[in-house]
């Protein structure tokens, strides 16, 4: 659990203006909105915040909000003298025992954001305004298709700009990769629109949009469904404005660190002294290369891909090959899937990337997979006139037809990617793919065992592979993220039912209390409690303990989940 310490309220002297700023920060308002509310200049707001952050001992708005909550809580508590602090504490304990519900908390989330900035009109006349309106309508349509297919969120800004993000309210293993793909797609689409459909706009050197990416650890209420004022929004918007002149998406370095193999990343160096370029309020940046660029081969990082020799032999003989990427912790699965994809792309394989939605409902997976195929192979799909008996067989039919143009690698990302894809296309779809030159690579979460990374070769029929071969690989070092959070455990928590999620958070923060006892305190019906235990054991988060009952799979799992939670020092006495 992350705890942010502060000085006692009486030792921290804040002016009336600084307390006003704290109130507005808690509301999630931007510098401009704060300036408007207080009738001061935006530059003055920055000066006030600089002084305030130093007083609070913090270096970001998110941490300032936490510190503000700590400061305000004692003040609010002091207004009520009807109970002593001891009586309040006893009352809180009694209430907790009766309801079995913990107080609402906050948690860390890694949010990856894509921002789009719209170019200004060069001339204000009816024709130019009409063409701009047509472009913005088409842009919004493609954004909504992308966001829906990739299971993201979007908000539209005055002036035609937009902000899209991944990681909240539901995290995925590959949120940064999704953001990179979305940015590449939008930049390519806008360039194509300007060249072929933009009329007079196509004759100008001024780009229609700028695209920026940024990732940041954000503090979010555990039960919040919406996200306001995230730091990644601000950084991505700054980069989007700079990217217009470059005509390529710009990214912060954290996004590059999280998704190193999703793009042919390009460095930016200054003309003076060949130094790295630093954008104010963002830091060092990188260029997101076009999706058509050759991606780096990182197979040696895993000790080599000797297993691919067997897979290639099967594919060359005309039989599809399924590869299950088995890992714990889950984060390594995304990196290895990317690495295999980049490796086979170097062997002239076509690439189809499918990212599973957060919901495991089959209808949602079918809709998402179909939309992603249409986005990546739109021209082929539009020419296809075949009628299929079901959506699952249509997906299998489309990819088998795509494979006729050359060997195809289907990379499926997500916690339960293998099961999601098999369920989506069904047995009929699996049979349809079996005789095609297709490689299917999908994550298959290990629900037992120690930390490991392996590839299981399942052959052309993954549901009937009695002699599957397992190839153990080197577990690479994965760079630590800000605040030490682990995105894979955030994604796992978000995939759970509300009961299971609450149990995991409480158990991680009460290590001395047996897990079953905590579940009993939650006062859930017996059938729901049983379903909760079954869900958690199948997910691999807990296992049966030697002395009876259940416990976390390992200490690392408990610590990772605990670290996602944020405790405000001193709040227990409020």
């Amino acid at each position: 659990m992350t705890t942010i310490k502060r000085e006692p309220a009486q030792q921290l002297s804040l002016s009336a203006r600084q307390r006003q700023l704290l109130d507005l920060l808690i509301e999630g308002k931007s510098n401009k909105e704060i300036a408007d509310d207080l009738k001061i200049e935006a530059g003055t707001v920055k000066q006030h915040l600089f002084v305030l952050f130093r007083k609070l001992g913090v270096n970001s708005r998110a941490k300032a909000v936490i510190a503000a909550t700590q400061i305000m809580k004692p003040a609010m508590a002091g207004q009520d003298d009807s109970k002593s602090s001891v009586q309040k504490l006893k009352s809180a304990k009694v209430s907790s025992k009766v309801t079995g519900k913990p107080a609402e908390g906050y948690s860390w989330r890694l949010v990856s954001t894509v921002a789009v900035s719209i170019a200004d009109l060069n001339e204000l006349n009816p024709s130019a305004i009409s063409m701009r309106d047509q472009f913005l309508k088409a842009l919004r349509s493609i954004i909504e298709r992308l966001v829906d297919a990739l299971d993201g969120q979007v908000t539209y800004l005055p002036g035609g700009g937009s902000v899209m993000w991944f990681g909240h309210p539901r995290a995925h293993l590959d949120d940064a990769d999704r953001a990179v793909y979305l940015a590449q797609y939008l930049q390519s689409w806008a360039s194509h629109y300007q060249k072929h459909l933009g009329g007079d706009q196509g004759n100008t050197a001024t780009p229609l949009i700028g695209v920026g990416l940024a990732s940041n650890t954000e503090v979010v209420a555990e039960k919040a469904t919406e996200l306001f004022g995230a730091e990644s929004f601000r950084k991505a918007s700054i980069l989007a404005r700079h990217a217009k002149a470059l005509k390529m998406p710009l990214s912060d370095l954290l996004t590059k660190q999280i998704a190193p193999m999703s793009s042919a990343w390009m460095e930016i160096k200054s003309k003076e002294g060949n130094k790295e370029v630093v954008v104010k309020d963002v830091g060092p940046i990188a260029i997101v290369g076009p999706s058509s660029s050759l991606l780096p081969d990182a197979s040696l990082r895993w000790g080599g891909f000797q297993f691919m020799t067997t897979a290639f032999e099967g594919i060359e003989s005309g039989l599809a090959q399924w590869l299950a990427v088995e890992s714990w912790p889950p984060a390594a699965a995304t990196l290895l899937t990317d690495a295999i994809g980049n490796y086979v792309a170097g062997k002239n394989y076509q690439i189809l990337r499918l990212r599973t939605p957060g919901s495991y409902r089959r209808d949602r997976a079918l809709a998402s997979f179909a939309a992603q195929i249409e986005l990546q192979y739109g021209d082929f799909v539009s020419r296809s006139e075949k009628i299929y008996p079901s959506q699952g067989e249509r997906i299998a039919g489309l990819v088998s037809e795509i494979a006729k143009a050359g060997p195809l690698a289907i990379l499926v990302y997500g916690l339960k990617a293998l099961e999601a894809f098999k369920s989506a296309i069904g047995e009929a779809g699996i049979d349809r793919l079996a005789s095609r030159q297709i490689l299917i690579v999908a994550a298959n979460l290990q629900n037992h065992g120690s930390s490991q990374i392996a590839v299981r070769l399942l052959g052309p029929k993954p549901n009937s592979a009695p002699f599957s071969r397992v190839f153990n690989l080197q577990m690479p070092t994965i760079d630590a993220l800000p605040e030490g959070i682990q995105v894979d455990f955030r994604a796992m928590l978000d995939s759970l039912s509300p009961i299971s999620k609450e149990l995991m958070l409480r158990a991680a923060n009460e290590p001395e209390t047996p897990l079953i006892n905590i579940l009993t305190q939650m006062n859930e019906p017996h059938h729901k409690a049983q379903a909760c235990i079954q869900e958690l054991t199948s997910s691999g988060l807990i296992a049966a303990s030697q002395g009876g009952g259940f416990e976390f799979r390992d200490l690392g799992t408990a610590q990772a989940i605990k670290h996602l939670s944020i405790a405000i020092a001193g709040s227990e006495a409020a």
Side-chain angles (χ1 to χ4, degrees):
M1 179 186 294
T2 302
T3 303
I4 297 179
K5 298 180 179 179
R6 65 169 177 83
E7 301 177 67
Q10 61 268 27
Q11 296 179 14
L12 194 61
S13 175
L14 296 179
S15 67
R17 175 66 83 194
Q18 288 169 340
R19 287 188 173 273
Q20 284 180 313
L21 285 169
L22 280 179
D23 286 333
L24 296 172
L25 281 178
I26 292 173
E27 293 175 20
K29 294 199 172 183
S30 66
N31 286 4
K32 185 179 184 305
E33 291 171 327
I34 292 174
D36 292 341
D37 285 0
L38 300 181
K39 304 296 188 291
I40 58 178
E41 296 294 325
T44 306
V45 172
K46 287 186 177 181
Q47 294 174 11
H48 280 311
L49 289 179
F50 177 77
V51 175
L52 180 60
F53 285 10
R54 290 190 63 181
K55 274 193 174 185
L56 296 175
V58 300
N59 56 11
S60 72
R61 299 171 78 93
K63 291 179 180 177
V65 169
I66 298 174
T69 307
Q70 296 174 212
I71 292 168
M72 299 304 185
K73 189 166 285 189
M76 294 173 64
Q79 297 173 4
D80 182 8
D81 57 0
S82 61
K83 292 183 179 181
S84 69
S85 61
V86 174
Q87 288 174 319
K88 291 178 183 178
L89 185 57
K90 287 181 178 178
S91 175
K93 288 181 178 178
V94 170
S95 174
S96 177
K97 287 180 180 179
V98 171
T99 62
K101 303 291 184 183
E104 181 177 4
Y106 287 80
S107 64
W108 289 111
R109 283 185 176 273
L110 183 73
V111 177
S112 294
T113 298
V114 178
V116 172
S117 178
I118 305 299
D120 296 329
L121 277 175
N122 293 324
E123 48 185 316
L124 295 176
N125 59 63
S127 176
I129 293 173
S130 174
M131 291 180 64
R132 177 187 173 93
D133 288 346
Q134 291 176 28
F135 169 70
L136 292 178
K137 183 178 180 181
L139 176 63
R140 177 169 293 201
S141 176
I142 195 64
I143 285 175
E144 289 177 352
R145 284 182 62 197
L146 284 162
V147 168
D148 184 61
L150 298 173
D151 203 28
Q153 304 290 320
V154 61
T155 188
Y156 296 102
L157 308 175
S162 55
V163 172
M164 296 141 278
W165 68 93
F166 302 91
H168 180 77
R170 188 186 293 272
H172 313 83
L173 288 183
D174 58 331
D175 281 320
D177 296 76
R178 294 175 191 233
V180 170
Y181 169 72
L182 193 153
Q184 290 174 321
Y185 196 102
L186 286 177
Q187 188 73 65
S188 175
W189 176 88
S191 298
H192 177 82
Y193 183 97
Q194 185 169 16
K195 182 177 181 180
H196 299 285
L197 304 173
D200 292 339
Q201 296 181 69
N203 299 323
T204 178
T206 304
L208 297 177
I209 64 172
V211 183
L213 291 93
S215 297
N216 201 74
T217 47
E218 311 285 355
V219 178
V220 182
E222 189 60 50
K223 297 181 181 179
T225 57
E226 297 181 324
L227 191 61
F228 303 103
E231 186 73 0
S232 58
F233 291 6
R234 184 183 66 84
K235 291 181 177 180
S237 297
I238 292 172
L239 292 176
R241 293 193 292 272
H242 285 279
K244 280 187 284 192
L246 194 63
K247 298 183 181 181
M248 298 179 78
L250 286 178
S251 171
D252 66 341
L253 291 192
L254 180 56
T255 303
K256 178 185 175 183
Q257 174 191 332
I258 304 167
M261 289 178 284
S262 63
S263 166
W265 295 94
M266 302 163 62
E267 293 184 349
I268 305 178
K269 298 291 185 180
S270 65
K271 295 180 180 178
E272 301 81 16
N274 198 34
K275 298 179 180 178
E276 67 178 6
V277 174
V278 176
V279 173
K280 184 180 179 182
D281 296 330
V282 176
I285 59 175
I287 297 174
V288 180
S291 56
S292 58
S293 300
L294 184 64
L295 299 176
D297 177 5
S299 57
L300 292 180
R301 184 183 182 190
W302 307 85
F305 289 163
Q306 290 82 1
F307 60 88
M308 287 305 303
T309 301
T310 305
F312 286 147
E313 289 174 355
I315 293 170
E316 288 169 5
S317 69
L319 294 175
Q321 297 294 307
W322 290 69
L323 291 183
V325 175
E326 301 178 344
S327 71
W328 187 271
T334 297
L335 291 174
L336 180 52
T337 303
D338 274 337
I340 295 173
N342 295 357
Y343 180 78
V344 299
K347 306 292 183 183
N348 296 320
Y349 271 60
Q350 302 177 87
I351 302 295
L352 170 63
R353 301 179 191 272
L354 298 178
R355 306 186 184 276
T356 56
S359 170
Y360 294 125
R361 286 172 41 186
R362 184 171 182 268
D363 60 337
R364 179 70 185 101
L366 282 169
S368 176
F369 290 156
Q372 291 178 64
I373 293 170
E374 290 170 5
L375 286 166
Q376 295 176 62
Y377 287 88
D379 291 341
F380 175 85
V381 174
S382 63
R383 294 194 302 268
S384 177
E385 298 179 353
K386 289 189 176 182
I387 305 298
Y388 298 94
S390 67
Q391 180 73 306
E393 289 190 62
R394 176 174 179 266
I395 290 173
L398 287 173
V399 297
S400 64
E401 290 297 313
I402 293 170
K404 289 181 178 180
L408 171 69
I410 304 173
L411 311 177
V412 193
Y413 299 82
L415 282 171
K416 300 177 181 178
L418 180 65
E419 292 304 318
F421 190 61
K422 288 196 302 181
S423 172
I425 65 176
E427 283 294 339
I430 292 173
D431 290 342
R432 187 183 290 272
L433 299 184
S435 59
R436 299 294 185 192
Q437 289 188 307
I438 296 177
L439 173 70
I440 301 101
V441 183
N444 185 32
L445 186 64
Q446 284 289 79
N447 60 9
H448 63 277
S450 58
S451 295
Q452 59 180 305
I453 184 75
V455 168
R456 187 179 297 272
L457 185 57
L458 299 172
K461 297 289 188 72
N463 291 335
S464 56
F467 303 110
S468 60
R469 297 179 61 184
V470 178
F471 299 84
N472 293 309
L473 304 177
Q474 294 177 185
M475 177 69 81
T477 301
I478 299 177
D479 296 334
L481 297 180
E483 312 300 339
I485 71 170
Q486 293 181 240
V487 178
D488 44 0
F489 287 101
R490 179 75 267 172
M492 292 188 76
L493 285 179
D494 289 350
S495 72
L496 299 174
S497 64
I499 296 174
S500 298
K501 183 177 180 180
E502 181 182 335
L503 177 59
M504 287 293 90
L505 289 171
R506 292 183 61 176
N509 287 289
E510 300 176 36
E512 302 303 320
T513 306
L515 190 146
I516 289 296
N517 290 7
I518 296 175
L519 183 57
T520 301
Q521 293 171 11
M522 291 168 61
N523 294 323
E524 298 292 347
H526 179 72
H527 70 281
K528 288 188 176 181
Q530 290 287 88
C532 171
I533 292 297
Q534 183 176 356
E535 180 182 25
L536 292 173
T537 51
S538 65
S539 71
L541 288 171
I542 67 172
S545 58
Q546 292 182 351
F550 295 87
E551 60 186 3
F552 277 105
R553 173 189 187 128
D554 51 43
L555 181 60
T557 297
Q559 291 176 337
I561 293 175
K562 180 179 181 180
H563 198 72
L564 290 170
S565 303
I566 299 173
I568 299 177
S571 63
E572 293 85 354

